[in-house]
Amino acid sequence: GFTSLWVSDHFMLSPGDTDRDCLDCWSLLTGIAAEVKDIRIGSLVTCMSYRHPPVLAKIAASVDRISDGRLEFGVGAGWKDVEYNAYGIPFPSPGERVDRFLEGMQIIKGLWTQPTTTLSGKYYSVDDAVASPKPVQSPHPPILIGGAQPRMLRAMARDADAVNMLGARGPNEYAQLLEKLERYCGEEGTDFKRLRKTHFMTFVVGEDQDDLGDVLSRVSTAEGISVEEYRSRRARAFIGTAPEAVELLKRYMALGVTQFQTVFPYQEEKRSLNLWADRILSVL
């Protein structure tokens, strides 16, 4: 029942997580594209400032080719300062990060759709740049933009095929962001209904309350904290039973959400995927 597999674009989880693997987004997507044939793949979301935009355009086009046109290009402006600092990548102000994002999007879309691309921007420049081969998908892979701030919502209205309200705390806040996005779509001349609405959440799910208690005990013990502290640290996560998860997902679906990206607690992935397939997807 799953329709897509997404990879986050991070270099490390946190300075304390030295034993937790964090594979490179685009290397992993390439491997998945070659090995897994019947599912779409995507970045949720790749960071514009981690790779020079023309290079990112080439990487993404290559993955679309390798996957035979199954790439979802999820992209954002970047936020995780601990990674920037650890890897020596400049971490400018939020405003500059969005400015760089907007310039980068112009270059990426140009390289995917035009024979050559020239742009002399404040932050990025290309001169008669060629990107061959082009992506399989025409005019380009679906662009999913993640964010929640006004300028990113406006970027969604202008450049996105799909949107992800990263950071929305519950259906009510998601609905408020959709109202703003619809207004920006009107100002940009974009069909709001055309945009695919998606939502990303961490799910800590049990079959029932007893099973949920066992899950919470395992995951909190693995992190060396109490169940109460684990709950407080996961304020944006869903923690509950499978029937409760179904009811929450239905609330988002009533708002127009047609795709959910989920992440599960470390070392609970296989159990969680099976539970979703058996108890959640089967009844939605």
Side-chain angles (χ1 to χ4, degrees):
F2 295 95
T3 59
S4 56
L5 194 154
W6 300 75
V7 176
S8 64
D9 188 15
H10 290 296
F11 301 130
M12 53 189 280
L13 298 179
S14 73
D17 288 321
T18 57
D19 295 326
R20 293 194 182 188
D21 294 341
C22 190
L23 296 176
D24 170 68
C25 172
W26 289 98
S27 302
L28 183 53
L29 283 173
T30 304
I32 295 169
E35 292 290 332
V36 184
K37 303 300 184 183
D38 299 322
I39 199 167
R40 292 187 67 78
I41 58 175
S43 50
L44 194 72
V45 289
T46 197
C47 176
M48 183 68 75
S49 51
Y50 283 170
R51 300 164 192 84
H52 194 51
V55 176
L56 179 58
K58 284 286 295 183
I59 292 170
S62 299
V63 173
D64 198 51
R65 283 275 168 176
I66 293 168
S67 68
D68 194 24
R70 289 181 287 129
L71 177 67
E72 304 272 337
F73 183 71
V75 62
W79 63 273
K80 197 169 184 179
D81 56 344
V82 64
E83 286 185 325
Y84 284 83
N85 295 334
Y87 277 70
I89 301 170
F91 186 66
S93 67
E96 182 177 327
R97 294 201 304 277
V98 175
D99 289 340
R100 289 176 176 271
F101 173 85
L102 297 174
E103 277 191 16
M105 285 305 305
Q106 291 183 62
I107 292 172
I108 290 171
K109 292 179 76 172
L111 287 170
W112 284 346
T113 60
Q114 304 298 323
T116 64
T117 298
T118 296
L119 184 142
S120 180
K122 182 176 180 180
Y123 302 103
Y124 305 118
S125 296
V126 289
D127 185 14
D128 281 337
V130 175
S132 184
K134 302 296 185 189
V136 173
Q137 299 177 85
S138 180
H140 50 68
I143 295 170
L144 179 149
I145 295 179
Q149 297 304 313
R151 293 185 68 202
M152 291 302 289
L153 293 175
R154 188 174 289 279
M156 294 175 186
R158 185 165 53 248
D159 290 321
D161 301 295
V163 299
N164 196 286
M165 308 302 187
L166 296 174
R169 294 175 180 266
N172 291 338
E173 186 170 322
Y174 194 100
Q176 294 170 1
L177 292 171
L178 283 181
E179 290 178 1
K180 295 178 181 178
L181 176 59
E182 187 170 14
R183 184 172 70 250
Y184 291 137
C185 284
E187 295 173 359
E188 296 289 338
T190 299
D191 182 2
F192 171 75
K193 294 180 180 179
R194 179 186 64 81
L195 297 178
R196 175 163 35 101
K197 285 78 176 178
T198 76
H199 187 52
F200 166 77
M201 282 185 68
T202 297
F203 276 82
V204 186
V205 186
E207 291 194 37
D208 51 32
Q209 288 295 339
D210 289 340
D211 185 42
L212 178 63
D214 292 341
V215 174
L216 287 172
S217 177
R218 289 196 299 270
V219 296
S220 60
T221 298
E223 296 196 13
I225 57 178
S226 67
V227 170
E228 291 73 21
E229 186 175 359
Y230 182 89
R231 283 182 175 274
S232 67
R233 290 185 181 183
R234 302 299 187 278
R236 296 185 180 181
F238 169 84
I239 300 176
T241 65
E244 291 169 339
V246 169
E247 291 307 309
L248 177 65
L249 294 170
K250 286 181 177 178
R251 291 181 63 191
Y252 281 107
M253 291 167 68
L255 297 174
V257 177
T258 59
Q259 185 174 40
F260 297 94
Q261 298 99 344
T262 65
V263 64
F264 305 115
Y266 189 64
Q267 296 185 333
E268 294 285 332
E269 294 90 350
K270 184 177 290 187
R271 184 201 66 84
S272 299
L273 284 168
N274 286 328
L275 179 58
W276 261 72
D278 294 339
R279 296 289 304 279
I280 297 175
L281 291 180
S282 61
V283 298
L284 283 177

